Structures are given as structure tokens and as C-alpha cells.
Amino acid sequence: MRQVCGGDIVRPRATRFATNYIALDSLLKKRVDLKKIFISNEWASHKLSRTEVGHEVERLMFDHVYWEKVEKLVSIYEALYAVLRIVDSEVVPTMPFVYELIRLMKTNLDQLKAKEWVKHIKHPLHAAHTI
């Protein structure tokens, strides 16, 4: 797989919040190469190609609905990931800066029609110190 895809799908590194996003994004970027694996002669002769799990993974690789859902998840996580990376950086951002990032993230999520995410971040963050 490393030869066909040009590397691993999951790159091991220390992350606290982005492991799922990184794995899904990598999977999405390598989907064309992953599909090549399942149409190769090596896959046809491999023992996993004859198992139930192998058939299920092969079916997923060619399922357009599955890839559309992965694309939507990656686009939603991307907005969240950008904010989390900045907040988790060595340079501590000011509260107005964080508030502006979250406002932009909410706008991006609205554009992506991710209403289930937006309803969880509807309270003004700058007023948190008053509670």
C-alpha cells in the first residue's frame, strides 16, 4: 500500500484533537490510489479479497455516497481544526481573536449546511468571563 499510495494513511504524531481529521483527510487525498489497489492483480490473489471484511472494504472504496460523506466530514472538521490549531499553539491568542475565529468558523459551518454543529456553538464566547 505504501508503494501505491505514496505513504501511510495515518501518520503517527502527537495530536490531542486532530487524529480523526488527519486520518480522514489523508484517506480522502489517497482515494484514487486506494481504488487502484482493489483493481490490481495483487488484490485479486490476496487471501483478504476472499473474506467478508475484504468484500466490505472493497465495496466502500467504490461507494460514491461513502466518499461524499467523507468529503463533508473533512470540510466540517477543517473549520474546527483551524481554530483548534491556533488556540493550541505556543502563541496564546487574545480572547477577541479567538472569538473572531469562532465567528468565522460558524459562518463556514453555516455555508456547509452543518446545522447540527452550529447549534452547539451559539453562545457568545466573549461573555464567558461573566459566568
Side-chain angles (χ1 to χ4, degrees):
M1 184 174 78
R2 287 182 183 144
Q3 295 165 342
V4 175
C5 293
D8 293 328
I9 292 172
V10 179
R11 296 173 311 271
R13 65 169 117 165
T15 58
R16 293 186 297 255
F17 53 80
T19 305
N20 292 336
Y21 167 75
I22 291 168
L24 285 173
D25 189 46
S26 180
L27 191 68
L28 193 58
K29 288 176 182 173
K30 295 178 182 192
R31 75 175 150 182
V32 172
D33 293 327
L34 287 169
K35 288 178 180 181
K36 288 178 186 176
I37 291 172
F38 292 96
I39 57 174
S40 69
N41 290 333
E42 290 92 8
W43 173 251
S45 62
H46 198 280
K47 66 180 178 180
L48 283 176
S49 69
R50 295 179 291 280
T51 66
E52 188 175 326
V53 173
H55 289 294
E56 180 66 20
V57 172
E58 185 176 354
R59 186 190 62 75
L60 274 177
M61 287 300 113
F62 296 100
D63 185 0
H64 295 290
V65 175
Y66 168 76
W67 289 111
E68 287 171 5
K69 288 179 180 180
V70 171
E71 285 175 351
K72 176 138 182 162
L73 273 172
V74 167
S75 64
I76 290 170
Y77 273 127
E78 193 169 32
L80 299 169
Y81 180 63
V83 171
L84 290 173
R85 278 190 60 200
I86 292 170
V87 172
D88 194 48
S89 69
E90 296 292 323
V91 178
V92 180
T94 62
M95 204 61 189
F97 183 73
V98 172
Y99 181 67
E100 181 62 17
L101 283 174
I102 291 177
R103 189 190 65 73
L104 289 171
M105 179 185 66
K106 286 170 65 173
T107 303
N108 289 344
L109 291 174
D110 274 336
Q111 291 173 352
L112 293 169
K113 308 277 190 274
K115 299 293 183 197
E116 63 276 4
W117 285 88
V118 174
K119 70 181 179 184
H120 295 293
I121 52 175
K122 63 184 174 185
H123 301 290
L125 185 63
H126 70 281
H129 74 282
T130 63
I131 298 176

